Amino acid sequence: MKDINDKDFGQNTITLRDNRVATSIIPRTNAELDRQVIVDTNVLVEGSTYAKFLEISNGPAEFKKAVFADKELHIKSDAKDLIYFNKSVASSQSVSSLISTGRAIYGGDVNAPTIKMKNCMVCGSIYGTEIQLENCVVLGGVFSSRSLTINGSIIGTFNSPEVNASGVNYLLYPTAFSVEPMSLLPNTEFWNLSLADLGSLYKGEDEKQNTGKIKIDLVNDTQRTVLTDENGTQSLINSYSVASRVLVSDLIDMEKMENHFLIISASLGSQILKTYSLTKSNGEKGPELNVKDITEFFFNVLSGKIQVREIDGKLSFDELKKNYE
């Protein structure tokens, strides 16, 4: 890997291949505002990156600081190996990473009017106008001002005027929202993981009692609510929640489930000064909480390689009485 700095940059195009960039890629003249950056195989950029167009042909590639593409950040669909953005990524127009075989990790938030992702991990949240997710994991929220399309993904929560969904999907938090009722293709499923014992599964141990995933009934678990802002303007919103069915949560020690450690360790991965690990039930040191291993864990849940036990979120009064005697 050859080291280069800003003295080696071209004015119109920077092509990186087997390079370590020790400085930021930041324009210093008006002409450099139109500069295109092309990344192709074995690249490390240690500073912040600005480009009119940022194109990534292949990994491995890693960006240590924030990335901004004025027109478009584009990862080619046939890109291989891992492409890793440690910090937030933004564009004034488009972020496109519809990757077929490789994978991209976004360590912070992603913000752009148009966002299209496939086989991507987002440790923060996504903000956009039109968002499309396929086989993705988003640990935070997905917030769209116009439309959201979800296909076979794990999402913390979402809020969008229009939501189109297909495949088997998972939510990490109890509730998600849309203005219009969701549009669902046949055989679409949503499962809630807020009571799943992800910590034990990450450690390779048995799940704790009364924990598991809950299937969301997209008819009976939907509530239509009228919201009124400070100006008196009313808006109707649909919420999809399992909160009304989760009586079992009173019987779970939520702290011992350690789910929040997985999410926080990934979302703050680039800011934590040391790597932590979970402790196994026998007192031994468990697996480390690093972004790449957490990413692999959630994609294994998504693919079904790691199976999460199902609970229905309901208990009879006799069962409640028995557990509290």
Side-chain angles (χ1 to χ4, degrees):
M1 184 178 285
K2 180 182 177 182
D3 288 2
I4 63 173
N5 55 44
D6 53 1
K7 295 179 181 179
D8 303 310
F9 296 161
Q11 188 176 60
N12 297 319
T13 303
I14 301 173
T15 301
L16 302 174
R17 183 180 296 110
D18 198 28
N19 291 128
R20 182 178 76 94
V21 182
T23 60
S24 296
I25 304 176
I26 301 294
R28 297 183 177 179
T29 66
N30 286 337
E32 291 176 349
L33 289 171
D34 292 330
R35 191 160 55 188
Q36 180 178 7
V37 177
I38 300 173
V39 174
D40 184 11
T41 310
N42 198 28
V43 171
L44 172 63
V45 181
E46 295 188 341
S48 301
T49 302
Y50 174 97
K52 187 169 186 178
F53 294 95
L54 174 58
E55 180 179 283
I56 302 174
S57 300
N58 268 309
E62 183 173 0
F63 298 82
K64 291 286 190 179
K65 299 291 180 64
V67 173
F68 181 82
D70 184 34
K71 297 297 183 183
E72 182 181 31
L73 185 157
H74 179 228
I75 303 176
K76 289 189 174 180
S77 62
D78 58 353
K80 295 178 175 58
D81 294 314
L82 178 64
I83 298 154
Y84 187 8
F85 302 92
N86 281 260
K87 303 286 187 177
S88 296
V89 170
S91 173
S92 60
Q93 291 193 15
S94 172
V95 171
S96 178
S97 48
L98 296 170
I99 309 169
S100 297
T101 56
R103 181 173 295 167
I105 296 177
Y106 294 85
D109 296 337
V110 180
N111 195 322
T114 301
I115 298 172
K116 297 180 180 181
M117 291 183 174
K118 180 179 180 180
N119 292 332
C120 294
M121 168 76 158
V122 180
C123 299
S125 295
I126 298 177
Y127 304 88
T129 304
E130 296 180 348
I131 301 172
Q132 175 184 325
L133 302 173
E134 180 180 353
N135 197 52
C136 290
V137 177
V138 183
L139 298 183
V142 181
F143 305 102
S144 169
S145 59
R146 184 180 300 166
S147 66
L148 168 61
T149 301
I150 310 168
N151 181 4
S153 296
I154 296 175
I155 296 174
T157 185
F158 61 78
N159 189 353
S160 175
E162 176 186 321
V163 177
N164 304 290
S166 58
V168 180
N169 304 279
Y170 300 87
L171 296 177
L172 295 172
Y173 300 108
T175 308
F177 307 91
S178 68
V179 176
E180 299 295 330
M182 275 201 291
S183 177
L184 307 171
L185 289 180
N187 301 317
T188 300
E189 296 180 6
F190 272 86
W191 295 83
N192 191 281
L193 298 175
S194 58
L195 294 182
D197 187 7
L198 301 178
S200 292
L201 290 170
Y202 187 75
K203 292 181 286 188
E205 298 182 334
D206 292 336
E207 298 161 86
K208 294 180 178 62
Q209 188 178 7
N210 296 324
T211 65
K213 62 184 180 181
I214 302 172
K215 190 170 186 178
I216 302 175
D217 185 335
L218 294 172
V219 176
N220 296 316
D221 290 337
T222 302
Q223 292 185 340
R224 294 174 66 83
T225 305
V226 177
L227 303 179
T228 305
D229 63 17
E230 58 185 10
N231 298 318
T233 303
Q234 293 186 335
S235 58
L236 185 65
I237 192 167
N238 294 274
S239 64
Y240 310 92
S241 175
V242 295
S244 63
R245 297 195 293 125
V246 197
L247 293 174
V248 72
S249 63
D250 290 337
L251 308 178
I252 301 172
D253 189 336
M254 302 297 287
E255 291 298 320
K256 290 184 178 180
M257 286 172 61
E258 302 175 316
N259 292 0
H260 55 292
F261 287 117
L262 290 177
I263 297 172
I264 291 173
S265 296
S267 61
L268 297 178
S270 61
Q271 304 174 48
I272 298 176
L273 297 180
K274 61 178 289 187
T275 301
Y276 294 90
S277 61
L278 296 177
T279 302
K280 292 187 175 182
S281 57
N282 61 5
E284 295 180 356
K285 181 180 178 181
E288 291 186 344
L289 292 167
N290 62 73
V291 173
K292 292 180 181 179
D293 286 348
I294 294 172
T295 296
E296 190 66 25
F297 168 75
F298 276 106
F299 273 98
N300 285 339
V301 172
L302 186 59
S303 67
K305 186 176 180 179
I306 293 177
Q307 291 287 330
V308 182
R309 181 175 57 203
E310 180 183 354
I311 57 175
D312 62 11
K314 293 182 284 189
L315 288 176
S316 68
F317 285 107
D318 288 339
E319 289 176 290
L320 284 171
K321 182 179 178 181
K322 178 181 177 181
N323 280 281
Y324 278 107
E325 286 178 344

